[in-house]
Amino acid sequence: MTLVLVEAAKNIKSAVGRYNTMITIYEKVDSILPDETVILKAGRILQEGGLVAFPTETVYGLGANGLDACACKKIYEAKGRPSDNPLILHISNIEQLNSIVNEITDSAKKVIEAFWPGPLTLVLPKAACVPYAATGGLETVAVRFPENVVACAIIQASGLPIAAPSANSSGKPSPTRASHVVFDLNEKIDMIVDGGPASVGIESTILDVTGDVPVLLRPGAITEEMLVSVLGSIEIDTAVNQRPDNKLIPKAPGMKYTHYSPKAEVILVYGEQEHVIKKINKLIAIALEKGRKVGVMASNQTKDCYFKAEVLVLGDKDKPEEIGANLFKILRKLDYIGLEVVYSEVFEETGEGAAIMNRLRKASGFHEIQA
Ligand code: TXA
Ligand code: MG
């Protein structure tokens, strides 16, 4: 009798397991001329309330119908994302913007003209049709018109504004390759469209254009300097480069969460290049004495200066766009190879360098030392 019950329980468990595990369709497309049947399939899944991960020029997004609260809730479940962290609605033409916001302010018009389509997200007052499930209960909505051909084709095929956070499990580095999405979300979403590596590699700049003075909420490839050149002046939200703090309420709710935390302890080393190299080599020796698996995040210029540690090359230190494109791939690699402690060089904070240092600080949990 007991045996019969055990067998019955096993059968129920495996049936439930089968039911919970979803089959994820994986399709690879050309990044310039994507296969139309794949695009139409992705569009149909989105119309039916499903989840589709797709490439954008910044990072891969996890898309759902941005006007359907149930579809948006599925995004939070698949990612394990806190429900007060709002989503960005992605559009593929300017007319769509009119239907999801209440007002397009003068500063919004200026930056749209200069930088859309592209890696810039704008926060504007939301229209009634946008559900609070997409905005985390806020009266504003974040909107982006991406440049990536595959992203635009999928949004166009769906005929909808597409809510899409980065397509990673909550807390992991944003995915810049379809393989990263497979690793985090396979069997949790309906479809993954692989359109090759994301060219920018860092999430979009977020600018709040609801008030008189635009406020930068998250730095990205549309840099502070570029925004100032079009808008005259902007403010930087105080939460941008501060350690997450319960007392501090950032205007972009997502900025309060610890992001991009590899399992390895990451430590940023500031100072003159030769001092940094010397200091890191000393720290490597100490870590090895303690039996720890140690790594270094370095540039092309310095990669051969470190000894007895795993060296991960971020790129040419004078080409922030190269460092940006490689950063999240390398942060993921730290865990794949099981490093325990990683020392990182730091980069010039002008232009896109500001976004790179913002993400590196978050990855390190603001663990910084001076050489
Ligand atoms: O590049 C990107 O922006 C990528 C791709 C897929 O487009 N998406 C992305 O989404 O990075 P996500 O969800 O990982 O980050 C969205 C950020 C969060 O920090 C969130 O708090 C902020 O945007 N956000 C969304 N709606 C907002 C709003 N109404 N007001 C202020 N911040 C908002
Ligand atoms: Mg994200």
Side-chain angles (χ1 to χ4, degrees):
M1 178 62 180
T2 321
L3 199 65
V4 172
L5 284 177
V6 168
E7 282 308 310
K10 265 193 204 158
N11 288 340
I12 290 167
K13 207 171 161 202
S14 75
V16 169
R18 268 202 306 277
Y19 180 74
N20 282 343
T21 308
M22 157 190 273
I23 292 170
T24 302
I25 303 164
Y26 176 91
E27 296 278 5
K28 203 172 168 64
V29 293
D30 187 89
S31 60
I32 308 294
L33 274 177
D35 181 341
E36 210 187 327
T37 51
V38 175
I39 298 297
L40 292 176
K41 195 193 286 180
R44 210 165 36 245
I45 291 174
L46 290 165
Q47 287 167 352
E48 287 166 1
L51 300 183
V52 177
F54 60 87
T56 84
E57 67 275 26
T58 56
V59 299
Y60 272 72
L62 177 58
N65 178 354
L67 301 180
D68 174 353
C70 288
C72 291
K73 282 182 189 150
K74 286 187 195 167
I75 290 181
Y76 289 91
E77 276 165 33
K79 279 183 59 102
R81 178 179 174 108
S83 61
D84 67 342
N85 190 0
L87 308 171
I88 296 173
L89 296 200
H90 294 65
I91 58 173
S92 58
N93 60 67
I94 289 290
E95 292 73 58
Q96 270 183 307
L97 178 65
N98 296 314
S99 66
I100 54 176
V101 302
N102 258 349
E103 187 194 349
I104 304 176
T105 56
D106 285 343
S107 46
K109 284 179 192 149
K110 287 184 192 159
V111 287
I112 286 171
E113 173 74 25
F115 304 117
W116 272 12
L120 174 67
T121 295
L122 299 177
V123 174
L124 284 161
K126 85 172 192 71
C129 64
V130 177
Y132 289 115
T135 69
L138 297 175
E139 291 300 336
T140 54
V141 60
V143 189
R144 175 156 111 80
F145 181 170
E147 196 173 24
N148 182 287
V149 172
V150 178
C152 286
I154 291 174
I155 301 165
Q156 191 76 29
S158 75
L160 295 162
I162 297 299
S166 48
N168 50 289
S169 297
S170 204
K172 286 256 187 77
S174 293
T176 56
R177 308 276 188 285
S179 60
H180 300 161
V181 184
V182 172
F183 190 85
D184 283 10
L185 298 176
N186 199 34
E187 299 188 339
K188 292 185 177 166
I189 63 177
D190 297 286
M191 186 176 190
I192 297 170
V193 180
D194 180 350
S199 56
V200 174
I202 291 205
E203 308 90 340
S204 63
T205 306
I206 304 180
L207 189 70
D208 181 340
V209 278
T210 54
D212 291 339
V213 182
V215 186
L216 181 74
L217 307 184
R218 181 174 73 181
I222 302 297
T223 65
E224 183 186 342
E225 295 86 338
M226 289 159 82
L227 294 170
V228 168
S229 76
V230 170
L231 295 169
S233 70
I234 62 168
E235 276 174 17
I236 315 281
D237 189 42
T238 47
V240 165
N241 272 321
Q242 284 187 27
R243 192 185 291 268
D245 176 346
N246 289 341
K247 281 176 250 137
L248 188 80
I249 301 169
K251 289 184 79 182
M255 298 293 275
K256 75 172 178 256
Y257 296 105
T258 319
H259 277 74
Y260 332 114
S261 311
K263 290 189 192 96
E265 186 184 354
V266 177
I267 299 153
L268 310 186
V269 187
Y270 288 76
E272 294 285 327
Q273 184 168 295
E274 58 184 296
H275 295 161
V276 169
I277 293 168
K278 238 181 172 173
K279 177 85 176 179
I280 292 182
N281 275 316
K282 261 191 199 163
L283 291 165
I284 292 170
I286 295 169
L288 289 174
E289 257 173 40
K290 291 183 185 160
R292 301 184 82 189
K293 259 189 110 175
V294 58
V296 182
M297 291 201 278
S299 63
N300 283 349
Q301 286 88 340
T302 56
K303 65 180 190 314
D304 298 321
C305 302
Y306 299 102
F307 309 102
K308 296 187 186 152
E310 184 85 39
V311 179
L312 301 128
V313 185
L314 287 166
D316 187 323
K317 75 179 172 63
D318 299 322
K319 291 187 185 149
E321 65 285 0
E322 201 175 300
I323 310 266
N326 288 326
L327 182 62
F328 289 149
K329 182 184 69 176
I330 300 275
L331 285 176
R332 283 180 173 257
K333 200 169 166 191
L334 306 184
D335 284 346
Y336 295 155
I337 56 182
L339 294 172
E340 292 169 277
V341 56
V342 177
Y343 298 101
S344 179
E345 295 180 356
V346 296
F347 301 93
E348 196 72 57
E349 294 214 32
T350 50
E352 199 180 325
I356 290 165
M357 286 309 300
N358 172 266
R359 306 311 194 270
L360 265 177
R361 285 200 185 96
K362 283 168 170 274
S364 74
F366 294 79
H367 193 160
E368 303 167 298
I369 58 171
Q370 191 69 35

